[in-house]
Amino acid sequence: MQVNIGITQEQRKSIAEGLAVLLADSYTLYLKTHNYHWNVTGPMFQSLHTLFEGQYQELAVAVDDIAERIRALGEFAPGSYKEFAKITTIQEAEGTPTAEEMIKDLVKGHEAIAKTSRNIVPIAGNASDEVTLDILTQRMTVHEKTAWMLRSMVTTN
């Protein structure tokens, strides 16, 4: 059946394309955060291990919400890391960074997702897609706050 929700097919496709990048970014950051949760070492191990766990769990819920919105718009969500790797704006980490390097890298990832979300806002706004705008507002709120909290843990710029 055709999707008839008051948003044109062209608008839905454009929004879904933006959300696909957001999904790829979110999934990439999820994997990175989970990796750091497993591999963090040093005097802040316990606090960072716990912090990273909460962050990757939040991202796991987010990727589901984003993918389901893409489907509600009548498009298919990318679902493999091969697809995600083609469109993500987040770089994978190489090797095993120090705890402070992990924190700095996660700041960059959260800021990248805030920017990706913000780039979709005008597209969704022009289509009066309040549902997507709500998701984007939630994602920007989470990622900007998380980036701030992580930045507050870093001793150097």
Side-chain angles (χ1 to χ4, degrees):
M1 291 182 62
Q2 290 292 329
V3 176
N4 185 13
I5 59 173
I7 303 171
T8 69
Q9 192 223 354
E10 182 179 299
Q11 289 172 320
R12 290 192 327 270
K13 184 170 181 55
S14 183
I15 294 164
E17 287 170 356
L19 289 174
V21 175
L22 181 61
L23 179 60
D25 283 356
S26 299
Y27 199 84
T28 302
L29 187 59
Y30 164 83
L31 288 173
K32 181 181 284 194
T33 306
H34 211 153
N35 172 28
Y36 291 171
H37 163 78
W38 293 325
N39 292 304
V40 68
T41 59
M44 293 178 55
F45 167 79
Q46 187 58 49
S47 59
L48 289 176
H49 181 75
T50 302
L51 179 66
F52 295 162
E53 181 175 19
Q55 290 175 358
Y56 78 70
Q57 288 175 341
E58 192 282 330
L59 285 161
V61 173
V63 296
D64 195 52
D65 291 343
I66 296 162
E68 288 178 355
R69 182 61 188 156
I70 293 168
R71 293 297 296 131
L73 291 168
E75 299 294 327
F76 287 100
S80 71
Y81 195 70
K82 183 177 181 179
E83 291 175 282
F84 293 151
K86 289 179 184 176
I87 60 175
T88 187
T89 67
I90 296 175
Q91 298 295 312
E92 287 192 84
E94 294 186 20
T96 305
T98 66
E100 189 159 308
E101 290 168 340
M102 288 177 181
I103 294 167
K104 289 178 180 179
D105 192 33
L106 291 176
V107 167
K108 290 177 188 174
H110 285 282
E111 289 175 340
I113 292 177
K115 287 187 250 180
T116 297
S117 298
R118 191 163 274 106
N119 289 338
I120 306 165
V121 168
I123 301 164
N126 288 337
S128 298
D129 182 359
E130 286 81 7
V131 175
T132 297
L133 288 169
D134 182 53
I135 291 169
L136 296 172
T137 300
Q138 291 174 41
R139 299 317 313 149
M140 287 184 289
T141 300
V142 167
H143 293 290
E144 290 176 9
K145 183 176 182 179
T146 302
W148 157 61
M149 291 184 166
L150 288 167
R151 270 193 311 274
S152 297
M153 299 175 74
V154 177
T155 57
T156 60
N157 291 331

